[in-house]
Amino acid sequence: MAKATNTEIIDLLGEKFGEQLFDVTEPYGLLTFSTTKDKVINVLSFLKENGKINFNFLTDLTAVHYPEKNQIAVVYHLHSMVSGIRVRLKVFLHENDAAIPTASTLWNAANWMERETYDFFGVKFEGHPDLRRILNMDDLGVHPMLKQYPLEDPNRVDKKDEYFGR
Amino acid sequence: MSEINIVDAPPGIEGSGFFATSLDKVIGLARSHSLWPLPFATSCCGIEFMATMGSHYDFGRFGAERLSFSPRQADLLMVMGTIAKKMGPVLKQVYLQMAEPRWVIAVGACASSGGIFDTYSVLQGIDEIIPVDVYVPGCPPRPEAILDGFGKIQELVKNESGRRRYSDQYKQMLASYGIE
């Protein structure tokens, strides 16, 4: 079975979804495109179940916070075990309304990945069977990977170099 | 001459067939040379402690041969490694399950102060939740440093008054940690 090239994949998707996919790029040869949150489950299930490309493995599911655009992107990395090709799908959400349908209907692996994404970014996955924090303590009260939080408390004095003879 | 060092007897009154000293000193002498540590090892400092337990550094020669992995008979809690805030309640429970008298040693930068992990998820020093007797600096400390810290604990144990644990000051200190 010949590997499907990025061009073939995007042609196949273009036939099926047309204008619902946009921002198609190929950074470092990794085919990347975006869709909207209404269409994301359709696109993912097509990628998973289409016999030609067969992206049957969810490598990763995470989010990126873009504070300057007030956006949170949910990122899906898919891998085809059959032909060894990869693809990346992004969905941009507004940070005040970060909600997206769950992918755990397609991959059970998405369950914990989505819990982690909820834990760190506060993205709500609608229809998730058990959306609780997974890594942080339950009473943390914040989603620590959002970029409004500074890396270090600017008021600390106990880490100044003069205390360490530097 | 023999190479063996014998611990000096505590100050007291010696005569033919008897030796009189204070009870505190005898108890302290016995306790300090038979400490049973509970190693609470979470990271690299724990590995360093394993080297300390090995034949080269031989932690056992201080009477700490039996490491207790249960709070039941342990009297020295050795916290070695990063304590995440999520681990905090577990550490506190282990401390509470130990019987008095108990001592705590914080080994390494993480247990003492959070170390390099100035982060939302890491406890900035275990002294936020339990009282600490000795801090061992280093990242990670060499086995010699752990032995030195243990020696400091032994000095504390040896010189502790028998009434210390009943004093108001000690009770207040525990109360400040919310421990009854």
Side-chain angles (χ1 to χ4, degrees):
Chain A
M1 179 181 163
K3 275 192 187 183
T5 61
N6 286 351
T7 328
E8 285 168 9
I9 296 168
I10 210 68
D11 287 347
L12 195 71
L13 289 166
E15 248 171 70
K16 171 95 176 143
F17 295 103
E19 291 301 302
Q20 293 161 6
L21 299 181
F22 40 91
D23 294 347
V24 181
T25 53
E26 284 186 47
Y28 301 96
L30 178 64
L31 179 64
T32 304
F33 47 87
S34 303
T35 184
T36 58
K37 72 174 179 186
D38 320 325
K39 295 285 176 268
V40 65
I41 295 300
N42 290 344
V43 176
L44 285 172
S45 64
F46 178 79
L47 285 164
K48 183 188 174 191
E49 278 142 22
N50 181 287
K52 259 191 208 158
I53 44 177
N54 211 346
F55 285 100
N56 55 351
F57 185 72
L58 176 69
T59 309
D60 196 10
L61 190 166
T62 184
V64 185
H65 187 208
Y66 298 99
E68 65 284 352
K69 292 189 273 185
N70 296 331
Q71 278 181 324
I72 290 177
V74 179
V75 188
Y76 301 83
H77 288 195
L78 303 185
H79 176 53
S80 170
M81 291 285 198
V82 181
S83 45
I85 43 179
R86 297 175 189 274
V87 74
R88 172 166 53 195
L89 171 61
K90 291 186 180 183
V91 182
F92 287 85
L93 308 166
H94 194 274
E95 62 182 7
N96 299 335
D97 178 35
I100 191 168
T102 176
S104 57
T105 47
L106 297 168
W107 290 280
N108 283 328
N111 187 317
W112 280 14
M113 295 180 186
E114 286 177 351
R115 277 179 63 186
E116 186 193 23
T117 309
Y118 163 73
D119 190 351
F120 283 104
F121 296 91
V123 179
K124 301 242 181 333
F125 291 91
E126 292 153 345
H128 189 284
D130 180 26
L131 198 61
R132 316 177 265 133
R133 287 184 180 273
I134 186 168
L135 288 169
N136 286 306
M137 48 196 294
D138 290 326
D139 46 355
L140 185 67
V142 292
H143 299 292
M145 294 285 272
L146 296 175
K147 288 182 184 169
Q148 65 257 39
Y149 303 112
L151 274 175
E152 272 198 6
D153 179 359
N155 304 317
R156 288 188 73 150
V157 291
D158 57 339
K159 297 204 173 187
K160 290 228 162 98
D161 282 353
E162 66 209 51
Y163 293 105
F164 298 94
R166 292 195 289 255
Chain B
M1 280 301 287
S2 157
E3 293 282 315
I4 297 170
N5 291 319
I6 294 176
V7 178
D8 290 333
I13 299 159
E14 213 166 345
S16 56
F18 76 94
F19 176 73
T21 181
S22 73
L23 182 65
D24 279 2
K25 293 214 167 59
V26 178
I27 299 278
L29 186 72
R31 273 180 185 166
S32 67
H33 293 284
S34 63
L35 279 168
W36 280 5
L38 193 167
F40 196 95
T42 55
S43 350
C44 357
C45 286
I47 308 294
E48 214 64 26
F49 177 71
M50 292 172 203
T52 317
M53 281 304 300
S55 56
H56 187 92
Y57 292 97
D58 191 16
F59 203 52
R61 66 203 153 110
F62 303 103
E65 191 69 86
R66 181 197 175 270
L67 295 186
S68 175
F69 289 99
S70 143
R72 187 170 290 134
Q73 314 291 349
D75 44 17
L76 170 63
L77 177 60
M78 303 182 75
V79 183
M80 302 172 268
T82 321
I83 302 297
K85 283 178 184 165
K86 211 171 170 176
M87 184 61 93
V90 179
L91 178 65
K92 185 157 185 173
Q93 183 178 33
V94 168
Y95 178 79
L96 291 175
Q97 285 175 346
M98 289 167 71
E100 291 278 19
R102 58 197 164 182
W103 292 269
V104 178
I105 177 170
V107 174
C110 288
S112 305
S113 70
I116 57 167
F117 302 108
D118 183 6
T119 321
Y120 57 89
S121 58
V122 172
L123 198 64
Q124 299 297 298
I126 59 166
D127 50 9
E128 291 191 8
I129 52 168
I130 55 175
V132 176
D133 293 287
V134 169
Y135 299 86
V136 177
C139 181
R142 283 189 56 90
E144 291 92 332
I146 298 182
L147 293 180
D148 185 47
F150 188 78
K152 296 271 189 296
I153 288 273
Q154 281 189 312
E155 286 305 308
L156 285 176
V157 176
K158 210 175 282 182
N159 299 318
E160 179 172 305
S161 134
R163 295 190 181 84
R164 178 185 168 229
R165 308 264 161 182
Y166 301 103
S167 68
D168 283 344
Q169 197 190 6
Y170 184 78
K171 286 202 173 96
Q172 271 165 14
M173 190 273 294
L174 281 189
S176 72
Y177 285 101
I179 300 168
E180 281 308 310

